[in-house]
Amino acid sequence: MLIKYFATFRELTKENSLVLNAEPANIAELLELLSDRYGTPFRKAVFEDGELSSLMILLVNGRNVRITGGLATPVNPTDEVSVFPMVAGG
Amino acid sequence: MSKMLMIYPNKCTGCRNCELACSFEHGGTFRPGATRVHTFTWEREGFAVPLMCQQCDDAACVNVCPTGAMHHGPAGSNLVELNPDLCIGCKLCVIACPFGSARYDSVTKSIAKCDTCAGAPQCVAMCPNAALEFVEDAEQTRSRKQVVADKFKTIFEEVN
Amino acid sequence: MNGWIGTTLRVDLSRGTIKRERTNKLVARDYIGARGMGVKIISDEVDPSADALGPDNKLVFAPGPFTGTFAPSAGRYNVITKSPLNGTIAGSNSGGVFGPELKFAGYDAVIIEGQAKKPVYLWIKNDLVEIRDASAMWGMTVADTTDALREQTDPDAKVACIGPAGENLSLIASIMNEMHRAAGRTGVGAVMGSKKLKAIAVIGTGEITVADPVAFKAAVMDARGKIQANPVGGVGLKAYGTDVLVNILNQSGALPVNNWQDAYSPVADKIGGESLAANQLVRPKGCFACIISCGRATKVTNPAYAGVGEGPEYESAWAFGVDSGIDNLDAIIKANYLCNEYGLDTISMGSTIACAMELYELGLLTKKDTDGLDLSFGNAEVMVELVRKTGVGEGFGKRLQEGSYRLADSVGRPDLSMTVKKQEMPAYDPRGVQGIGLNYATNNRGGCHVRGYTIAVEVLGQGAPTDPHATEGKAALDIVFQDLTSALDSSGSCLFATFGIGGAELAGMLSALTGVDYSLEEFMKAGARIWNLERLWNLKVGYTAADDTLPVRLLTEPIKTGPSKGRVNHLDQMLPEYYALRGWDAAGVPTPEKLAELAL
């Protein structure tokens, strides 16, 4: 599974991307794995009271997990996951 | 302990919220002539800096004032204060201030000079970028030193 | 009046006359100011059939009631006129400090009429208004004009001007203020050029009064708090600028590539806000009264493209970047600097170059047409040279300065111009984001994203989650965004304030400032009124429902790669519902009932 980080998540993780050699079943398991890897600041950025943080945009193969099932969204080893802070522009 | 206004030009974006806050605080309207703080902007270089009264210890405005209207604050204060009742509008302070920070406002017929909004400067409160700070004089350079200290820490961590 | 000044300036350049008029209080109330007031003036005073570049067109510069106050990030002005690019009642919106200075000088609007015989500029110092000779400045770049005017008038003067592109009547010319801020879209710079008006220089020392200072300050502090607490308004835009969008649009499969032949680029990261922050950013910049600071003071040291200035925004980075097959951010920034110098709209310029590149690769343009230049996608050096040629109106640049529609049409392929109503679309592919397609198709000034920014909800996760691939509910979403933005533009606020506040906060601040009681409903209704008045103009110009469409590529040619692979836009599933919800008939004409409801 390929994880791509953007904007402030690059500062948090000190990397632009990660090839994950584990097989989490869903977004919740994935974010737990990543939080263990990167520590508390990362965990705080992705979880908000045990739910998906509202300050983060998480895409699985370009689809926002907020519309595909949130933390329960299933993930596969071939997926590409993009992690953004809430961003905008125009 | 007295406080001073610190300016951080590196953080200034040139938005002039400080000027608006100053004008509004002193007259309830938005009028460039009413503001005591002015932001200077270099558009080509993208640089800006706000300037206001430096509250000098040896203050030219105080020295030239013929009536004592412009005076140093009470013991323990480092402010230069203006007593409008004593001001005769001679504008000598305007001429004397080397920073241009005492201005004559022809609309209100009075001298416009930073009064730190009685200890709660609105320019500081409304600056969205922390380019202005009102700090205890003992702490005036703390945040600048902190930046240098942080760099040292990073370097030493890398060396070790 | 409070918030408003109460005075409008009218300048007839044909006769050389200057008049001061009272601002109509009822018009101010119903159309708020800025865009709304300008639309009302143009609609009342200009014949829709008038030549946009002739003496009968008028040009309105109008700040809004918030402009010049500390309403957060609300220091903007609008330029409203009949567009020479597409004939719509066009407007363009700019920040900087020019708008507030007009207010402080004492004007809610400046109406420019007629046509000067030789180049002139307008000098406004409060009540003093003069039409002055600008012959010596004709041909100068924007920055040089600004410096020259400050020497002739006042070192603190705020200057809105055109560069050589506006003088040459380029249909994609902008009006620039404070050197780097642009009223970019719809070719407003050409209207200024046609009037031989090189610049307006203004300095003001007047006052903006507030109806209820205590309530206004409280409403402003509430709005500031909400914007600063929002991760976008408070942190994200300042750290990375709007260019941070490159990656998220790319990862969502909606970043147009190579003149919209695709919507995903494997190299997009090289031109995104993260790369900009790491390499060329000097510091964030803010417009007047801004608390967000999305502006980018930048510096390029690469000798091939060296320079200092501002930008790029997301749109500019995209247009000169992946849409032209280019991943060299230094070259992109150089192109942006040149646009600021010559006074060109970066979206239309970059998109026109992308179109030319596709026409070149198809053999419809050859080196005979292009002054010997190789217009293959990805040729950064040539891209920058094309901007220069367009800016000064040299050789092939004379064709580019008309925009992509006329260029593509001249070789028989208007379908390869990625435009709506002849204006180039911004950087969101409607095949990957359905609602923005409906917004482009129905937008009163043609291809435009800011007047109906559904991206905030469809992609950026603001508000309730919405599937960008769904068409359901998008008509209603578009209408809310279009009406809100119409009212917001008219108030003088920046669109980015809505990353934190909405119509209720804006209406609250406006009521306290002006003393006119705007409920949220009335504020939104003013927006709908402005939108419908713009629509009526466009119908009079000759636009019909058939023009409410997208380039055929977006409707029939599926995206080739990336997350939105295989998708097209389904405009036909959204447009009828849009008309119905707008209160328009099947031909897209506002019904008499709707017009009566809006007092039109």
Side-chain angles (χ1 to χ4, degrees):
Chain A
M1 192 179 307
L2 176 63
I3 321 286
K4 288 183 171 177
Y5 300 112
F6 298 95
T8 47
F9 277 96
R10 290 187 180 171
E11 296 164 29
L12 270 177
T13 62
K14 304 265 189 275
E15 49 196 359
N16 289 359
S17 62
L18 168 73
V19 179
L20 190 70
N21 293 315
E23 295 191 11
N26 55 36
I27 288 294
E29 288 184 26
L30 171 66
L31 292 180
E32 277 296 337
L33 272 172
L34 296 177
S35 295
D36 289 345
R37 181 186 176 94
Y38 298 113
T40 310
F42 184 92
R43 183 179 295 277
K44 279 188 181 165
V46 300
F47 288 113
E48 193 177 306
D49 302 328
E51 296 295 317
L52 209 55
S53 168
S54 61
L55 308 183
M56 170 186 60
I57 303 173
L58 202 61
L59 308 177
V60 177
N61 303 326
R63 303 287 286 155
N64 192 329
V65 299
R66 225 173 284 282
I67 50 173
T68 56
L71 287 174
T73 304
V75 287
N76 297 301
T78 53
D79 286 343
E80 181 176 306
V81 178
S82 308
V83 191
F84 294 86
M86 186 80 99
V87 293
Chain B
M1 189 163 306
S2 54
K3 289 184 161 184
M4 64 176 291
L5 268 160
M6 283 292 290
I7 301 168
Y8 300 89
N10 55 320
K11 294 183 183 174
C12 179
T13 66
C15 70
R16 296 167 66 190
N17 272 296
C18 51
E19 297 181 25
L20 293 164
C22 184
S23 168
F24 189 79
E25 176 69 15
H26 290 94
T29 68
F30 301 98
R31 183 167 63 82
T35 177
R36 281 90 165 133
V37 49
H38 289 91
T39 310
F40 286 81
T41 301
W42 286 260
E43 285 156 6
R44 280 186 190 268
E45 296 84 2
F47 185 78
V49 58
L51 295 171
M52 75 288 288
C53 173
Q54 299 299 114
Q55 316 286 354
C56 308
D57 286 341
D58 184 4
C61 59
V62 173
N63 296 340
V64 298
C65 183
T67 67
M70 197 72 84
H71 62 280
H72 288 288
S77 156
N78 64 352
L79 298 183
V80 173
E81 296 176 352
L82 175 71
N83 181 346
D85 294 337
L86 295 180
C87 179
I88 57 170
C90 68
K91 309 172 195 70
L92 282 178
C93 55
V94 178
I95 295 163
C97 176
F99 302 100
S101 289
R103 293 173 57 253
Y104 181 69
D105 181 358
S106 58
V107 173
T108 57
K109 295 200 186 309
S110 63
I111 299 296
K113 186 198 89 69
C114 173
D115 56 6
T116 70
C117 300
Q122 288 303 295
C123 54
V124 173
M126 295 293 269
C127 176
N129 304 303
L132 291 168
E133 277 183 9
F134 195 51
V135 290
E136 300 287 348
D137 51 11
E139 298 166 1
Q140 59 194 256
T141 58
R142 179 187 285 175
S143 59
R144 280 196 181 139
K145 282 182 180 144
Q146 185 74 51
V147 174
V148 179
D150 286 344
K151 278 185 187 154
F152 272 113
K153 178 168 176 280
T154 310
I155 291 165
F156 276 90
E157 276 174 352
E158 280 169 9
V159 170
N160 294 330
Chain C
M1 293 171 90
N2 297 299
W4 299 286
I5 302 295
T7 307
T8 295
L9 186 66
R10 188 181 291 273
V11 178
D12 186 330
L13 294 175
S14 295
R15 295 196 185 94
T17 56
I18 292 157
K19 279 196 293 188
R20 250 171 229 87
E21 299 171 359
R22 279 218 182 116
T23 301
N24 185 317
K25 279 186 188 178
L26 295 179
V27 169
R29 184 196 68 189
D30 292 347
Y31 293 88
I32 304 176
R35 173 174 160 196
M37 203 182 288
V39 165
K40 176 67 174 158
I41 291 168
I42 295 294
S43 182
D44 284 351
E45 299 186 10
V46 177
D47 183 339
S49 66
D51 175 4
L53 297 178
D56 295 333
N57 194 10
K58 299 187 183 185
L59 185 64
V60 179
F61 291 80
F66 285 150
T67 312
T69 75
F70 58 26
S73 304
R76 303 185 72 86
Y77 76 100
N78 279 233
V79 181
I80 306 94
T81 188
K82 176 177 178 176
S83 166
L85 180 68
N86 60 14
T88 62
I89 190 159
S92 204
N93 182 326
S94 181
V97 293
F98 180 79
E101 205 71 28
L102 267 186
K103 283 281 287 287
F104 293 135
Y107 304 103
D108 295 313
V110 177
I111 306 169
I112 308 289
E113 308 178 342
Q115 222 159 31
K117 287 189 183 66
K118 60 184 176 71
V120 295
Y121 73 91
L122 194 64
W123 166 230
I124 303 173
K125 185 177 183 181
N126 299 322
D127 289 345
L128 172 96
V129 183
E130 293 175 354
I131 301 169
R132 291 183 171 184
D133 179 30
S135 303
M137 282 165 233
W138 205 250
M140 275 189 191
T141 63
V142 166
D144 289 348
T145 302
T146 305
D147 284 342
L149 274 169
R150 286 179 177 154
E151 265 177 42
Q152 289 194 17
T153 59
D154 186 299
D156 276 342
K158 306 301 179 281
V159 175
C161 68
I162 53 171
E167 296 172 11
N168 295 334
L169 308 183
S170 164
L171 302 180
I172 57 172
S174 60
I175 296 172
M176 305 295 300
N177 56 283
E178 287 78 66
M179 299 189 188
H180 312 292
R181 306 308 307 181
R185 307 231 67 196
T186 63
V188 289
V191 178
M192 207 160 156
S194 75
K195 299 194 176 305
K196 295 264 194 312
L197 180 63
K198 178 67 175 172
I200 299 177
V202 59
I203 193 155
T205 54
E207 182 170 58
I208 301 165
T209 58
V210 182
D212 185 340
V214 174
F216 182 59
K217 174 123 192 238
V220 165
M221 295 316 284
D222 173 60
R224 276 176 69 109
K226 287 173 177 167
I227 294 167
Q228 286 173 329
N230 184 291
V232 172
V235 183
L237 279 170
K238 185 175 179 182
Y240 297 104
T242 59
D243 196 24
V244 75
L245 287 181
V246 164
N247 278 316
I248 191 156
L249 267 301
N250 193 47
Q251 294 304 117
S252 301
L255 184 71
V257 171
N258 289 6
N259 199 37
W260 305 67
Q261 295 183 67
D262 207 345
Y264 176 80
S265 164
V267 295
D269 194 20
K270 292 168 78 173
I271 67 165
E274 294 92 338
S275 174
L276 180 66
N279 298 305
Q280 295 92 352
L281 179 67
V282 177
R283 65 174 65 82
K285 289 285 293 169
C287 295
F288 190 91
C290 185
I291 64 169
I292 296 171
S293 309
C294 71
R296 306 285 88 181
T298 51
K299 184 176 183 179
V300 176
T301 51
N302 175 350
Y305 304 111
V308 176
E310 281 190 31
E313 303 288 343
Y314 164 61
E315 305 295 341
S316 319
W318 157 79
F320 296 122
V322 293
D323 196 39
S324 303
I326 288 163
D327 61 8
N328 181 331
L329 192 49
D330 288 334
I332 291 166
I333 295 173
K334 185 67 178 182
N336 194 148
Y337 290 167
L338 290 177
C339 284
N340 291 353
E341 286 289 302
Y342 297 127
L344 284 164
D345 173 28
T346 56
I347 297 177
S348 286
M349 182 73 260
S351 198
T352 299
I353 290 171
C355 175
M357 286 176 162
E358 185 169 2
L359 297 174
Y360 179 85
E361 293 204 339
L362 290 171
L364 296 167
L365 291 172
T366 67
K367 283 189 176 169
K368 278 182 191 158
D369 302 296
T370 65
D371 308 330
L373 296 173
D374 172 10
L375 262 62
S376 301
F377 278 110
N379 194 335
E381 208 174 306
V382 163
M383 179 274 289
V384 173
E385 172 63 4
L386 291 177
V387 176
R388 189 196 64 80
K389 277 180 177 287
T390 308
V392 298
E394 172 193 303
F396 183 55
K398 285 191 185 127
R399 291 176 73 184
L400 296 177
Q401 73 173 21
E402 309 250 281
S404 67
Y405 182 83
R406 288 162 177 86
L407 177 71
D409 192 44
S410 73
V411 297
R413 291 298 300 274
D415 57 305
L416 294 181
S417 162
M418 292 297 113
T419 50
V420 173
K421 299 183 176 73
K422 300 192 180 78
Q423 173 158 268
E424 288 71 16
M425 293 177 295
Y428 309 90
D429 196 316
R431 291 171 292 189
V433 190
Q434 294 292 324
I436 200 70
L438 177 63
N439 178 55
Y440 290 165
T442 57
N443 214 285
N444 286 326
R445 62 174 186 174
C448 163
H449 62 304
V450 286
R451 297 176 166 187
Y453 194 65
T454 61
I455 297 299
V457 171
E458 292 188 281
V459 179
L460 304 177
Q462 299 267 336
T466 308
D467 186 348
H469 295 160
T471 54
E472 297 80 26
K474 295 300 168 68
L477 184 70
D478 263 303
I479 290 169
V480 168
F481 270 85
Q482 290 175 347
D483 288 354
L484 174 63
T485 310
S486 301
L488 171 141
D489 282 348
S490 304
S491 74
S493 178
C494 173
L495 180 60
F496 291 170
T498 58
F499 295 117
I501 62 170
E505 287 85 356
L506 290 164
M509 287 192 291
L510 196 57
S511 301
L513 173 64
T514 62
V516 175
D517 194 11
Y518 286 97
S519 63
L520 172 60
E521 191 191 357
E522 279 161 323
F523 186 70
M524 294 297 287
K525 196 171 171 182
R529 182 178 298 120
I530 294 159
W531 191 269
N532 277 271
L533 188 58
E534 291 171 343
R535 177 74 178 183
L536 291 176
W537 168 281
N538 288 352
L539 293 169
K540 284 182 205 154
V541 166
Y543 281 108
T544 68
D547 299 300
D548 295 338
T549 189
L550 295 170
V552 69
R553 169 169 282 171
L554 305 185
L555 302 172
T556 61
E557 200 176 298
I559 291 173
K560 296 186 182 78
T561 65
S564 301
K565 183 179 175 181
R567 294 187 180 274
V568 296
N569 186 270
H570 301 289
L571 182 64
D572 57 338
Q573 294 174 16
M574 301 179 282
L575 193 58
E577 186 189 2
Y578 174 90
Y579 284 173
L581 289 173
R582 272 263 172 234
W584 297 353
D585 65 21
V589 179
T591 59
E593 296 76 32
K594 189 69 192 176
L595 296 180
E597 179 197 322
L598 296 171
L600 280 170

